[in-house]
Amino acid sequence: MIARMSDAVDDRDGTAAGGGHGGVAGEGDASPPTLRARRIAAWRAAPRVLARPGFLAPLSERLALLEAAGGVYDLDEDSDIYGNGVVEALEQRVAGLLGTEAAAFFPTGTMAQQVALRCWASRTGNPAVALHPLSHPEVHERNAFSQVSGLRPVRVTDEPRLPTAAEVRDFEEPFGTLMLELPLRDAGFVLPSWEELTGVVDAAREREAVVHFDGARLWECTEHFGRSPAEIAGLADSVYVSFYKSLDAFGGAALAGPAGLVEEARAWRHRYGGNVFQQFPTALSALIGLERELPRLPEYVRHARVVAAALREGFAAGGLPWSRVHPEVPHTFDFQVWLPYDAEVVAEAAIRAAEETGSMPFANYWDPRGPGLASTEVYVRAAALEWTAGDVRTAAEEFAGRLLRQAAAPA
């Protein structure tokens, strides 16, 4: 048997850093389940959750997704070989949705962006990439820019938001490319206003730099900006989009932009080992996601705002001394919750709440942010639409009371 892999997302190791509940097992005894294992089991078993991400589902459920494949592609067509067939059809669909001349499928977003940015560096003659220190390449890619692609990241701002036009315009050293992550996930899935975004792009162009969007979650941004994916992508010279982060596909990504850039990117994709022999399961799952999930994303964003407001009200009613929902009005359908307790304490309360009540509004890993401070990411998807604002308030109030009782209990 092949060992089960972690449910890590975006190179974040689910709960490994959060500590397990295991100790030293006795002779012949199995170790107690870790905090992570208990959390995942509770998430799967809870009747009421805010999201049921596909990556946590058993293999049988994931394979069942492909039962809908006949509705998005002619299954009598030949299978793909090195990027033709259904992969090519997916590329054309993405280019059409984003309004670009072309798009190329990549097995990972990390590879797609490495390739895009090294192509731009060769064209501009400047390997410096201006970005935010919380951007995905800086936090989750093990210094791949410098170690693999010969690029040099320069940090435009340390503020937990996207850079401003003034910060880009007045940055003290030259750069060939400005990379903007939309939304900036590790700052709380935050976005600028449309006017701020266009101002930042204009400022980069004034410096004769190209603009690349890390649009892994660009599909989620339309409600906030009031613009279509094509209008958003049209601001940049190139854009990367993910198929699993928003659309629940098996994996995969696409790089979209001018035809010449995409052709060059295909050559580098081959050199990077990304020209995979067959990728039809992933391509089909992406087409299904574009058909099924993409039209529903604005509804999820609107409901995330309802959920966020109800959580704040529930925490206050439950007597918590302090809490933070960030952003207060979510920009996408994901946001952060901060609470004044150690990460393991809050994680334990979340698991017990699911086991005892059947409701699990906080199913993700809790990140230690300092002594007595933890945060988590809240995802709002189709499952959350079954929750009214009152349901969320009640669950948050019960959770707050549980935390207070747990903190007051003798050690």
Side-chain angles (χ1 to χ4, degrees):
M1 291 287 289
I2 298 176
R4 288 180 296 168
M5 300 297 288
S6 163
D7 67 327
V9 178
D10 296 341
D11 304 329
R12 178 171 297 181
D13 150 348
T15 53
H21 275 207
V24 178
E27 289 187 10
D29 293 334
S31 298
T34 64
L35 195 63
R36 173 182 179 276
R38 292 177 57 222
R39 177 178 64 84
I40 299 304
W43 197 348
R44 285 178 169 176
R48 305 202 72 192
V49 294
L50 294 175
R52 293 195 184 279
F55 67 85
L56 285 183
L59 281 172
S60 58
E61 288 185 24
R62 294 304 276 159
L63 289 173
L65 175 67
L66 295 180
E67 292 174 2
V72 297
Y73 191 74
D74 184 356
L75 300 185
D76 289 328
E77 291 286 331
D78 291 341
S79 186
D80 61 302
I81 297 177
Y82 290 124
N84 65 3
V86 65
V87 176
E88 204 168 54
L90 174 60
E91 292 172 339
Q92 292 169 359
R93 177 78 185 278
V94 170
L97 286 168
L98 297 179
T100 60
E101 291 181 350
F105 180 87
F106 278 79
T108 71
T110 297
M111 184 186 294
Q113 297 206 118
Q114 295 291 319
V115 166
L117 293 169
R118 78 173 299 151
C119 288
W120 284 126
S122 69
R123 290 168 181 236
T124 64
N126 188 331
V129 178
L131 44 61
H132 196 285
L134 291 178
S135 296
H136 195 278
E138 288 290 87
V139 179
H140 301 292
E141 296 180 15
R142 298 193 178 191
N143 303 311
F145 269 15
S146 57
Q147 297 298 314
V148 178
S149 300
L151 302 171
R152 184 169 63 87
V154 294
R155 299 178 171 188
V156 182
T157 179
D158 289 325
E159 295 296 319
R161 52 159 173 75
L162 273 296
T164 66
E167 288 166 339
V168 170
R169 188 178 293 112
D170 299 335
F171 192 66
E172 61 271 17
E173 59 178 304
F175 54 86
T177 305
L178 172 67
M179 194 194 89
L180 299 173
E181 182 179 327
L182 302 176
L184 187 57
R185 180 260 180 98
D186 280 284
F189 303 93
V190 296
L191 289 164
S193 69
W194 181 253
E195 293 71 25
E196 289 168 337
L197 180 59
T198 55
V200 169
V201 170
D202 290 343
R205 298 262 163 73
E206 289 172 21
R207 299 185 58 137
E208 299 184 345
V210 298
V211 177
H212 171 78
F213 284 170
D214 176 342
R217 297 173 173 84
L218 181 138
W219 311 115
E220 307 168 19
C221 300
T222 58
E223 184 73 10
H224 174 83
F225 287 133
R227 300 293 194 282
S228 68
E231 290 176 288
I232 300 169
L235 291 180
D237 297 285
S238 61
V239 60
Y240 137 68
V241 291
S242 172
F243 296 126
Y244 76 87
K245 289 186 172 71
S246 307
L247 304 177
D248 210 26
F250 295 165
L255 172 66
L261 177 81
V262 172
E263 275 306 301
E264 183 182 358
R266 293 181 195 277
W268 280 105
R269 179 183 64 186
H270 198 167
R271 294 179 181 121
Y272 273 65
N275 203 30
V276 180
F277 180 54
Q278 289 198 307
Q279 300 184 93
F280 65 89
T282 300
L284 287 170
S285 72
L287 285 170
I288 293 168
L290 289 170
E291 185 73 20
R292 287 183 170 183
E293 286 297 301
L294 184 59
R296 304 192 70 185
L297 302 188
E299 181 182 16
Y300 299 164
V301 176
R302 292 190 292 271
H303 197 60
R305 295 167 183 169
V306 174
V307 171
L311 286 175
R312 285 197 302 273
E313 294 169 5
F315 290 149
L320 284 185
W322 178 86
S323 68
R324 178 75 186 271
V325 175
H326 175 69
E328 286 192 9
V329 178
H331 298 170
T332 72
F333 44 66
D334 300 327
F335 56 90
Q336 293 177 342
V337 165
W338 292 61
L339 294 175
Y341 296 93
D342 289 333
E344 285 196 5
V345 171
V346 193
E348 181 66 30
I351 292 168
R352 290 189 178 181
E355 293 169 344
E356 295 172 14
T357 72
S359 293
M360 196 174 191
F362 308 111
N364 277 311
Y365 167 65
W366 285 86
D367 231 338
R369 296 289 189 168
L373 185 62
S375 74
T376 191
E377 294 176 346
V378 175
Y379 302 157
V380 174
R381 301 294 192 276
L385 301 180
E386 301 175 7
W387 296 59
T388 67
D391 294 335
V392 177
R393 278 194 297 270
T394 298
E397 185 175 352
E398 190 281 333
F399 186 74
R402 183 181 296 271
L403 275 176
L404 290 169
R405 292 191 300 274
Q406 193 168 315

